[in-house]
Amino acid sequence: MGNMMAKPKILVVEDEASIRKIVQTYLESAGFSVTCVDNGRDALTLALSNPPDLVVLDLNLPGMDGMEVAARLRESSDVYILMLTARGEEADRVAGLRLGADDYLTKPFSPREMVARVEAILRRQRDVGGSRQDHTLRFAHLVIDLDRHEAVVAERPLDLTVTEFQVLWALAASAGRVLTRDQLLTQVWGSSFYGNDRVVDVYVGQVRRKLQEQSDAPMIETIRGIGYKFVDPKQT
Amino acid sequence: MGNMMAKPKILVVEDEASIRKIVQTYLESAGFSVTCVDNGRDALTLALSNPPDLVVLDLNLPGMDGMEVAARLRESSDVYILMLTARGEEADRVAGLRLGADDYLTKPFSPREMVARVEAILRRQRDVGGSRQDHTLRFAHLVIDLDRHEAVVAERPLDLTVTEFQVLWALAASAGRVLTRDQLLTQVWGSSFYGNDRVVDVYVGQVRRKLQEQSDAPMIETIRGIGYKFVDPKQT
DNA sequence: GGCTGCCTTACCGATTCATTACAAATCCCA
DNA sequence: TGGGATTTGTAATGAATCGGTAAGGCAGCC
């Protein structure tokens, strides 16, 4: 789908231009939004004004040491940190971990592995937050279950694509309230979607069609000039 | 565990003093009650006299091996275990340990990550409602026994490798709910796996093939764009 | 050396995506 | 009330993405 979620932002802090360039290239082609700086001071400034999701941080920096940068970053936020170091002493490794680096690569490293590490760190971040709630929306004839990823109308399962499902979920979760196209775009397509908002109309249309194939209650209303609204037919 | 409000007790078994210290510090500041030992024998004694809620266990211990400690712990109790291993530990042992541990991390690991994992394991325990007693999953045509490490479809045993078994177990244990590739990676391959998530597809494919050689009910559904879901054919 | 199991890679077909263009509906004001 | 302007519905389309799977490299083990 291009991008359902915003591109994770990554800040690369590395003084050696050649390495910096490689890291940037690989990360960008892996779909990340990358910013580079070559010293610790700029890193801190930038991290404050525009917090990244993860920092790739060289340990050996001119001026402010990588360790200190890490410590400072951690003071003010909980960014994830991937440390880069020269082939190194045990002492460094331990100290690096104590300061809370989330992973660690020794130079020379394979760029692909570096990307893999970055992805793994971000992946974990997403996973751990999962305390279970009831992820189910229930209406008169419609039940939407996020965990099963299943929507059922009048006992019949709907065959929805991911995007269609998300559109339906977004609307149903705000049942009774109007959602503008922009709100739907943000909720479903993510805040960094630069496409045409007519895509919302197309998907609403598709969801409507599939809903009506199974049940004739029109559950998604068009609010002209504004957006769409889900209404539970039994209610109202 | 009794009281949810009581600090969970954690036993750390690690021979390297520096790592032990870091682990202890981080866990304590996360609000756990921590005890440390540096060898397997003490670990077992202590675990018997004062059973912890979770054990953080190094795989490479002098004297009694971490694997053996895990096995002994499991014999007498249901403690949760978080394994620590060195990177590049032989694939085989790592595969084996997945069966005994609830999660594992490869060194060098991020202390924050470690704490997050510990919390996740304990939370999972609460969510499921306590004991991990049922080491057997039963469905219409499929029975999976974790202790015997055996899966039987329509009376016929399945010849699964360790990884295949784990994948099937993970899916079946969440029967009806979708698991993303990331979730499967974490549950089966551990939280520090830096590979490609397509490996999930490959293994799901293999399990499917073996299942269908014995029974024609398709039990693993693909949820395009999300992941996979186990469905009991008799149900639903 | 042959076996087995793990993980990666690459290819291909099928599905899904976002855009576009045009038709239909609605609005608004003369 | 009519007609032009605006908004929405939707079919069609090429491009992008996704998932199945065969093949192969690698490592440990007998």
Side-chain angles (χ1 to χ4, degrees):
Chain A
M1 167 169 346
N3 60 35
M4 289 238 333
M5 281 193 217
K7 282 187 183 178
K9 280 179 294 187
I10 301 190
L11 174 61
V12 177
V13 192
E14 164 68 61
D15 57 315
E16 262 183 79
S18 58
I19 297 185
R20 196 169 60 230
K21 196 64 199 163
I22 293 178
V23 170
Q24 177 172 26
T25 308
Y26 271 81
L27 285 175
E28 276 175 350
S29 70
F32 296 104
S33 161
V34 182
T35 313
C36 292
V37 299
D38 63 1
N39 68 81
R41 195 169 314 279
D42 289 358
L44 289 175
T45 320
L46 226 141
L48 282 181
S49 64
N50 182 24
D53 298 295
L54 183 145
V55 178
V56 176
L57 178 61
D58 189 12
L59 186 60
N60 290 317
L61 291 172
M64 193 187 297
D65 182 36
M67 287 293 193
E68 196 184 336
V69 177
R72 296 270 196 97
L73 281 171
R74 274 298 159 67
E75 275 172 20
S76 54
S77 72
D78 50 273
V79 218
Y80 280 70
I81 298 177
L82 172 61
M83 209 59 117
L84 303 180
T85 88
R87 174 159 294 164
E89 328 76 311
E90 210 64 3
D92 267 0
R93 162 197 286 192
V94 172
L97 287 179
R98 180 171 290 126
L99 286 177
D102 292 289
D103 203 353
Y104 188 87
L105 275 176
T106 55
K107 298 182 196 171
F109 54 85
S110 124
R112 326 188 88 226
E113 186 178 6
M114 185 267 306
V115 171
R117 296 289 173 84
V118 166
E119 284 172 339
I121 292 172
L122 294 175
R123 179 203 300 146
R124 287 176 216 149
Q125 183 182 19
R126 282 199 300 276
D127 267 6
V128 176
S131 70
R132 225 143 257 317
Q133 309 169 29
D134 188 21
H135 292 157
T136 309
L137 296 175
R138 294 166 195 285
F139 301 95
H141 300 114
L142 176 66
V143 179
I144 315 177
D145 187 323
L146 200 56
D147 294 326
R148 311 175 83 88
H149 207 263
E150 211 173 59
V152 178
V153 188
E155 319 278 292
R156 300 177 183 194
L158 284 179
D159 183 27
L160 302 175
T161 69
V162 188
T163 309
E164 289 161 3
F165 186 90
Q166 283 177 301
V167 167
L168 177 58
W169 177 269
L171 285 167
S174 300
R177 279 173 292 152
V178 191
L179 290 182
T180 66
R181 288 189 178 71
D182 277 350
Q183 286 175 313
L184 281 166
L185 273 186
T186 306
Q187 284 185 45
V188 176
W189 280 264
S191 55
S192 59
F193 175 81
Y194 295 118
N196 193 316
D197 68 1
R198 294 301 311 279
V199 74
V200 173
D201 300 51
V202 174
Y203 275 90
V204 166
Q206 248 148 346
V207 173
R208 274 180 176 153
R209 180 173 53 73
K210 293 189 178 178
L211 278 171
Q212 272 161 353
E213 280 169 8
Q214 310 293 352
S215 131
D216 48 81
M219 304 194 225
I220 303 180
E221 288 181 0
T222 301
I223 310 298
R224 183 166 237 268
I226 310 279
Y228 297 94
K229 176 168 84 169
F230 179 93
V231 285
D232 186 359
K234 264 296 168 48
Q235 308 271 77
T236 307
Chain B
M1 139 159 53
N3 190 345
M4 290 249 303
M5 299 323 265
K7 283 186 183 181
K9 280 178 296 186
I10 300 192
L11 174 59
V12 177
V13 192
E14 165 66 62
D15 58 315
E16 258 184 82
S18 58
I19 296 185
R20 196 169 59 231
K21 196 64 196 164
I22 293 175
V23 171
Q24 178 173 24
T25 309
Y26 270 81
L27 284 175
E28 278 174 351
S29 69
F32 296 106
S33 159
V34 182
T35 313
C36 293
V37 299
D38 64 2
N39 69 82
R41 195 169 312 281
D42 290 358
L44 288 175
T45 320
L46 226 142
L48 282 181
S49 64
N50 184 23
D53 297 294
L54 183 146
V55 179
V56 176
L57 179 61
D58 188 12
L59 184 61
N60 286 317
L61 291 171
M64 191 187 299
D65 182 40
M67 286 284 262
E68 197 184 335
V69 176
R72 298 273 195 94
L73 282 171
R74 275 293 159 71
E75 275 173 19
S76 53
S77 73
D78 269 349
V79 215
Y80 281 73
I81 298 177
L82 173 62
M83 275 277 196
L84 305 181
T85 81
R87 188 171 280 165
E89 202 88 40
E90 308 97 272
D92 218 39
R93 300 189 72 199
V94 172
L97 88 82
R98 288 197 211 122
L99 292 174
D102 293 288
D103 198 353
Y104 78 95
L105 284 171
T106 55
K107 301 180 195 173
F109 54 85
S110 138
R112 284 202 302 164
E113 172 68 12
M114 186 266 305
V115 171
R117 287 293 139 194
V118 166
E119 286 169 341
I121 292 172
L122 294 174
R123 180 172 55 227
R124 211 185 300 157
Q125 180 183 22
R126 277 201 300 278
D127 283 353
V128 175
S131 77
R132 53 156 72 223
Q133 266 344 332
D134 65 336
H135 291 207
T136 312
L137 296 173
R138 292 165 197 285
F139 301 95
H141 300 115
L142 176 66
V143 179
I144 315 176
D145 186 321
L146 190 56
D147 292 328
R148 299 171 160 283
H149 200 250
E150 211 173 59
V152 178
V153 188
E155 319 279 292
R156 301 178 182 192
L158 281 178
D159 183 27
L160 300 175
T161 69
V162 176
T163 308
E164 289 161 3
F165 183 87
Q166 291 277 104
V167 168
L168 178 57
W169 176 267
L171 284 167
S174 299
R177 278 176 294 147
V178 188
L179 292 181
T180 64
R181 288 186 179 70
D182 281 351
Q183 288 175 317
L184 281 166
L185 275 185
T186 304
Q187 285 184 41
V188 175
W189 280 265
S191 48
S192 40
F193 172 80
Y194 294 115
N196 192 311
D197 66 2
R198 294 303 310 278
V199 73
V200 173
D201 300 50
V202 174
Y203 274 90
V204 166
Q206 251 147 352
V207 173
R208 272 181 176 153
R209 180 172 54 73
K210 293 189 178 179
L211 278 171
Q212 273 162 351
E213 279 169 9
Q214 309 294 352
S215 132
D216 48 79
M219 304 195 227
I220 304 180
E221 286 182 2
T222 302
I223 310 297
R224 191 170 228 269
I226 309 275
Y228 297 94
K229 176 165 83 169
F230 180 92
V231 284
D232 187 359
K234 263 299 168 45
Q235 306 273 76
T236 309

